[in-house]
Amino acid sequence: MVTARGKPSPPWHPIQGTSDATTLWYAVMRKRVRDVYIGMLCFRHSDYHASLLHKGWQEVPISEIQAM
């Protein structure tokens, strides 16, 4: 969800990606740190993706990625 300025309202922050970022190529990742989630976007099936999973990051299910 974004405001009229095109930015999400607090406490949400935009996740940077290309204009054609789809869940086919990218995975939205999250990790709980001190009672809040931090997130990032990374290429699916890459070494970095595997590293994040190994470090306790979770891939956000596509069904949870939607406007509210």
Side-chain angles (χ1 to χ4, degrees), residues 21-60:
T22 69
T23 54
L24 174 66
W25 300 110
Y26 292 92
V28 178
M29 306 296 288
R30 68 180 172 199
K31 184 175 185 178
R32 191 172 188 111
V33 177
R34 297 185 187 154
D35 298 325
V36 296
Y37 281 102
I38 57 174
M40 72 168 32
L41 195 63
C42 71
F43 282 108
R44 249 182 224 291
H45 310 297
S46 65
D47 292 340
Y48 190 57
H49 180 249
S51 171
L52 291 173
L53 290 170
H54 182 72
K55 292 177 183 176
W57 287 73
Q58 300 173 313
E59 190 169 331
V60 179

Side-chain angles (χ1 to χ4, degrees), residues 4-28:
R5 295 185 344 239
K7 305 253 182 199
S9 58
W12 308 109
H13 301 283
I15 295 176
Q16 299 295 320
T18 62
S19 61
D20 64 346
T22 69
T23 54
L24 174 66
W25 300 110
Y26 292 92
V28 178

